[in-house]
Amino acid sequence: MIRFGIVGTSWITDEFLKSAMLNEGFKLNAVYSRTEKKAHEFAKKYDVENIYTDIEEMAKSETIDAVYIASPNSYHAKYSILFLENKKHVFCEKPIASNLNELEAMIKSAEKNNRLLMEGMVSSFLPNFNVIKENLYKIGKIRRYVGNYCQYSSRYDPYKRGENPNTFNPKFSNGSLMDIGVYCIYPLVQLFGKPETINANGVILESGVDGEGNVVLNYDDMEALIIHSKITDSYVPSEIQGENGTMIIDKIPTPKNIKIIYRDGRKEDLTVEQDKPNMYYEASEFIDLIKEGKNQSDINSFKKSRIVMNILEQARKQMGVIYPADK
């Protein structure tokens, strides 16, 4: 049984817990929040006794073996390193850090302390993402990847009213590319590796973060187009275009419907049934890796996280999005 603590009490933490609790190796044993009231409310919901409002106290405690970190992006590196240095395994939500320098410090700490560090990118472990990987050969020579994810943020209207939500505040190392675009970039890297060139454009809001944008990535004999937005919606699926046909992916962050339309007009439905919630698969991977004594995942590996973070950092620089964490 792996005893977990959680850092962050937003909706994503609820989703993680609902999924992870289906694994018999998972036990929620501690809750951290900056405010005691919120910590108590969250802990009561899950019948947890150990409550912390001091994150260093939680990191040093003997009540947990591992931690799930879903704090704002700008805290990912600081909190991850704190727990790793205290010999705790770390499952850190995407994007794993603000920039490459932070990521390298996190990896160094994981290796030094022989503890597991894994980036939480849900798509990598889903049954229908495996379907994509296993059936790519059917569409022949790959020429284009189109990753499309545009979702109007629930915090955009408050932002337009003059409020200052974390979601659009550069202090927290976020914006459309980091929060939304990464869901398109990570699968690209899983399938095709490191691109040769990166070209990015975007709409920069008054706060200094990107509201929407695009990234064009070139490989030897194909290109990839990433379309992302937190200020508009899109209903267009993602695609992988090959010379023999096109694979259509309903939702790139959590693919559940996959089909191929061949050049001769034939259609093939590749979808497999998914019998567990989305985050169950990545949580189970993390638990299995702890039991195996590994410090990284072969799937969401340090190498993959480095490639993704390099793309994010280069694209941000080209758009002119600079975070306090970069300075």
Side-chain angles (χ1 to χ4, degrees):
M1 184 73 71
I2 309 299
R3 302 169 304 158
F4 275 74
I6 56 111
V7 175
T9 53
S10 66
W11 67 272
I12 193 67
T13 306
D14 279 314
E15 290 300 309
F16 174 77
L17 292 175
K18 288 174 192 173
S19 300
M21 284 175 169
L22 296 175
N23 187 304
E24 293 179 352
F26 177 91
K27 177 178 172 58
L28 179 60
N29 213 41
V31 170
Y32 165 81
S33 179
R34 284 171 294 176
T35 64
E36 193 164 341
K37 181 183 177 186
K38 199 163 189 179
H40 273 287
E41 288 173 353
F42 202 88
K44 184 178 179 181
K45 183 163 56 171
Y46 291 98
D47 195 25
V48 177
E49 291 183 9
N50 301 301
I51 296 169
Y52 297 92
T53 54
D54 183 326
I55 199 159
E56 291 197 14
E57 183 185 349
M58 181 179 177
K60 292 174 183 176
S61 77
E62 296 300 320
T63 60
I64 61 170
D65 309 303
V67 64
Y68 170 72
I69 296 177
S71 60
N73 300 337
S74 57
Y75 292 105
H76 284 182
K78 177 183 176 182
Y79 288 170
S80 293
I81 291 169
L82 173 63
F83 282 95
L84 291 165
E85 294 294 327
N86 282 280
K87 309 298 183 183
K88 307 299 191 292
H89 305 286
V90 174
F91 183 118
C92 185
E93 267 300 340
K94 63 79 208 167
I96 194 168
S98 299
N99 52 47
L100 270 172
N101 283 339
E102 287 188 351
L103 175 57
E104 292 299 343
M106 294 163 77
I107 292 171
K108 183 178 178 181
S109 181
E111 292 175 338
K112 181 183 79 172
N113 292 287
N114 194 29
R115 288 299 181 270
L116 173 61
L117 170 66
M118 190 179 95
E119 182 167 13
M121 173 50 67
V122 63
S123 60
S124 302
F125 306 97
L126 294 176
N128 281 292
F129 187 70
N130 288 329
V131 164
I132 294 170
K133 290 191 289 185
E134 291 165 3
N135 289 275
L136 268 184
Y137 73 94
K138 293 181 177 179
I139 61 174
K141 187 73 174 173
I142 309 297
R143 292 304 188 184
R144 180 179 288 119
Y145 168 103
V146 182
N148 179 44
Y149 188 23
C150 303
Q151 182 173 289
Y152 193 95
S153 170
S154 62
R155 307 305 298 160
Y156 187 47
D157 286 338
Y159 171 81
K160 290 194 290 184
R161 291 196 297 266
E163 298 175 27
N164 189 26
N166 293 357
T167 324
F168 293 99
N169 187 337
K171 175 184 173 184
F172 298 105
S173 301
N174 47 29
S176 180
L177 179 69
M178 294 285 275
D179 294 344
I180 294 288
V182 67
Y183 280 112
C184 302
I185 293 169
Y186 215 109
L188 171 71
V189 170
Q190 289 282 16
L191 295 171
F192 303 107
K194 184 179 180 180
E196 293 191 352
T197 63
I198 302 163
N199 293 283
N201 292 287
V203 172
I204 310 304
L205 304 177
E206 287 184 6
S207 67
V209 303
D210 53 313
E212 62 90 37
N214 66 80
V215 188
V216 178
L217 305 111
N218 287 101
Y219 292 78
D220 265 345
D221 48 11
M222 63 165 276
E223 69 171 8
L225 172 61
I226 306 300
I227 305 164
H228 61 91
S229 177
K230 295 189 74 171
I231 57 176
T232 59
D233 288 315
S234 175
Y235 305 95
V236 177
S238 296
E239 291 185 344
I240 303 174
Q241 300 171 8
E243 292 185 355
N244 296 338
T246 296
M247 185 178 288
I248 300 172
I249 304 159
D250 61 338
K251 294 180 180 179
I252 197 67
T254 52
K256 287 201 172 122
N257 192 294
I258 314 296
K259 66 180 177 181
I260 293 175
I261 300 178
Y262 294 98
R263 288 192 61 247
D264 62 8
R266 287 181 299 118
K267 296 180 182 179
E268 183 180 6
D269 188 347
L270 302 170
T271 307
V272 297
E273 185 177 349
Q274 180 179 311
D275 60 357
K276 297 285 194 305
N278 290 330
M279 298 182 79
Y280 168 83
Y281 302 93
E282 58 178 347
S284 294
E285 164 83 354
F286 186 77
I287 291 166
D288 289 344
L289 290 170
I290 292 174
K291 292 177 179 178
E292 292 165 14
K294 294 185 177 180
N295 77 341
Q296 66 172 304
S297 166
D298 291 335
I299 300 171
N300 282 5
S301 64
F302 294 162
K303 180 181 178 180
K304 303 270 179 60
S305 289
R306 282 178 169 124
I307 294 171
V308 171
M309 187 54 59
N310 180 62
I311 293 170
L312 294 173
E313 189 167 329
Q314 294 304 316
R316 281 200 297 110
K317 285 180 179 177
Q318 291 179 24
M319 289 191 293
V321 175
I322 307 296
Y323 299 140
D326 296 327
K327 297 173 183 176

